[in-house]
């Protein structure tokens, strides 16, 4: 008697992503700095909108313009308006920003990437920078609105502009409340003594509770270690290296094995170069103060009080 043949279970075929799901996956990969996912099989307008977003994420905002996949319709008009803005003379950018339609995620992402470079290279004055930030705060996907919020808050803090901070706060949504509270705390630090931080001196890995004016300089650079070579730290500037994991409870006075290994690895890099720094193993201590985006440059006055605080987008690229 023959047994019936075993039948393989039917293959499970995942449904094709919608245009919105595909855009979400691309934006997530972009945000995390990962390789963009393969383009999905979309049809019609959804395919054009996805292509526009992918172009916005990959075009060279210094040398070129994003190529428009739209032939007609609202998408074509919006892409043309963006391309016109990106090549407009400086005195026309402000008016072009006001009239730029932003219905497509690709338009917002391209505008963000281009404007970020203009700010970094000093091509935007304060008024134009704020107009660019405000346009991105008011339209586009959550990712670019979040980028614009971070950028605007960092610059308001760096310029010690509480009026600007209040204006940003009035248009931010409820999901940003924790970030706004952090910046409110940072504004409160300006002009006063620095908080006490729990730090381990490198390369010795010695534990200290210190204010910034006790670190040996009038400037403090807070930034993780990147690839070689080590950054040049100017005379009078102290370097605090935040932990990659930041797992230490801010009340602990000893390092657990993973953090101890991290500190030793940093010491091994600094010692041969004759360099020193401070290791900060508690992320919570920074977050409680509102110091959440690196790099951070803090300047002190002659009395050791905080004179200026530049963080994230508003911080210099080097100490």
């Amino acid at each position: 008697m023959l047994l019936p043949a075993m039948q393989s279970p039917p293959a499970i075929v995942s449904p094709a992503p919608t245009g919105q799901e595909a855009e979400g996956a691309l934006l997530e990969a972009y945000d995390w700095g990962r390789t963009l996912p393969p383009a999905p099989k979309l049809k019609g307008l959804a395919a054009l909108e996805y292509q526009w977003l992918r172009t916005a994420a990959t075009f060279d905002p210094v040398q070129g313009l994003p190529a428009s996949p739209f032939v007609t319709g609202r998408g074509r008009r919006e892409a043309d308006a963006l391309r016109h803005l990106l090549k407009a003379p400086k005195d026309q950018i402000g008016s072009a920003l006001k009239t730029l339609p932003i219905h497509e995620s690709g338009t917002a992402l391209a505008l963000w990437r281009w404007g970020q470079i203009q700010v970094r290279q000093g091509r935007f004055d304060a008024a134009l920078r704020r107009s660019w930030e405000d346009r991105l705060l008011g339209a586009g996907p959550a990712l670019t609105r979040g980028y614009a919020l971070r950028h605007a808050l960092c610059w308001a803090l760096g310029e010690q502009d509480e009026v600007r901070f209040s204006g940003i706060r009035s248009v931010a949504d409820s999901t940003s409340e924790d970030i706004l509270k952090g910046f409110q705390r940072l504004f409160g630090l300006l002009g006063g003594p620095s908080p006490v931080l729990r730090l381990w001196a490198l390369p010795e890995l010695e534990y200290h509770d210190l204010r910034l004016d006790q670190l040996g300089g009038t400037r403090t650079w807070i930034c993780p270690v990147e690839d070689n070579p080590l950054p040049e730290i100017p005379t009078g500037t102290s370097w605090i290296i935040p932990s990659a994991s930041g797992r230490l409870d801010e009340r602990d006075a000893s390092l657990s094995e993973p953090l101890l290994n991290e500190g030793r690895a940093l010491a091994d890099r600094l010692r041969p170069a004759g360099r020193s720094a401070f290791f900060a193993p508690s992320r919570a201590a920074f977050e409680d103060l509102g110091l959440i985006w690196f790099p951070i440059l803090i300047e002190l006055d002659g009395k050791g009080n905080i004179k200026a605080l530049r963080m994230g987008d508003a911080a210099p690229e080097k100490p």
Side-chain angles (χ1 to χ4, degrees):
M1 180 178 177
L2 296 176
L3 296 175
M6 296 289 290
Q7 294 185 350
S8 301
I12 299 175
V13 179
S14 299
T18 64
Q20 186 174 5
E21 290 170 341
E23 286 198 3
L26 189 151
L27 289 170
E28 182 180 7
Y30 176 85
D31 188 36
W32 285 95
R34 299 194 296 255
T35 301
L36 299 184
K41 293 182 179 180
L42 299 170
K43 297 180 180 180
L45 182 59
L48 297 177
E49 291 172 339
Y50 182 86
Q51 186 178 343
W52 180 232
L53 177 61
R54 196 176 188 91
T55 297
T58 55
F59 86 106
D60 183 350
V62 176
Q63 300 293 336
L65 297 173
S68 171
F70 303 103
V71 177
T72 60
R74 188 187 74 183
R76 172 64 182 270
R77 292 190 295 273
E78 183 166 319
D80 286 350
L82 176 73
R83 286 166 55 85
H84 171 76
L85 185 155
L86 299 193
K87 62 182 180 182
K90 183 178 178 180
D91 61 354
Q92 297 178 19
I93 293 175
S95 58
L97 280 168
K98 292 178 182 178
T99 58
L100 176 69
I102 302 181
H103 300 288
E104 303 292 339
S105 297
T107 305
L109 183 57
L111 181 64
W112 161 255
R113 294 184 62 224
W114 172 81
Q116 195 181 26
I117 290 172
Q118 308 309 303
V119 174
R120 276 292 180 196
Q121 295 183 347
R123 296 176 183 169
F124 280 0
D125 57 26
L128 192 52
R129 188 194 70 240
R130 291 168 192 155
S131 295
W132 167 73
E133 290 168 346
D134 289 344
R135 190 68 192 91
L136 285 166
L137 281 169
L143 181 67
T144 53
R145 295 199 312 273
Y147 286 164
L149 177 67
R150 181 193 70 199
H151 196 281
L153 288 171
C154 286
W155 274 96
L157 176 67
E159 294 174 335
Q160 302 185 26
D161 190 339
E162 295 195 47
V163 174
R164 174 63 172 163
F165 174 70
S166 296
I168 298 166
R169 190 167 201 163
S170 68
V171 299
D173 59 40
S174 59
T175 62
S176 307
E177 190 57 32
D178 287 344
I179 293 174
L180 293 166
K181 287 179 179 178
F183 274 88
Q184 187 71 64
R185 290 192 293 271
L186 291 174
F187 270 97
L189 292 178
L190 296 171
S194 81
V196 174
L197 295 173
R198 183 153 293 184
L199 305 169
W200 273 254
L202 295 170
E204 299 86 1
L205 268 182
E206 295 174 347
Y207 153 76
H208 303 276
D209 286 329
L210 298 169
R211 298 189 309 272
L212 298 183
D213 58 301
Q214 296 174 312
L215 301 184
T218 59
R219 302 166 81 249
T220 300
W221 177 251
I222 307 175
C223 188
V225 174
E226 298 180 352
D227 294 335
N228 286 325
L230 293 170
E232 293 296 327
I233 305 297
T235 302
T237 301
S238 303
W239 183 18
I240 295 178
I241 303 173
S243 165
S245 64
R247 294 174 181 171
L248 185 75
D249 188 298
E250 56 188 308
R251 297 165 295 183
D252 287 349
S254 61
L255 298 176
S256 60
E257 193 64 29
L259 288 168
L260 186 59
N261 291 338
E262 186 180 352
R264 286 170 175 164
L266 290 171
D268 288 343
R269 292 187 64 183
L270 294 171
R271 190 178 290 110
R275 303 285 296 276
S276 63
F278 294 89
F279 177 48
S282 174
R283 181 177 299 166
F286 284 100
E287 292 175 347
D288 288 345
L289 294 170
L291 299 170
I292 55 177
W293 288 305
F294 305 118
I296 300 168
L297 179 63
I298 301 176
E299 299 183 55
L300 308 177
D301 63 18
K303 297 180 180 179
N305 294 327
I306 295 177
K307 179 174 65 175
L309 201 165
R310 298 170 64 189
M311 178 169 72
D313 295 287
E317 293 184 284
K318 298 179 180 180

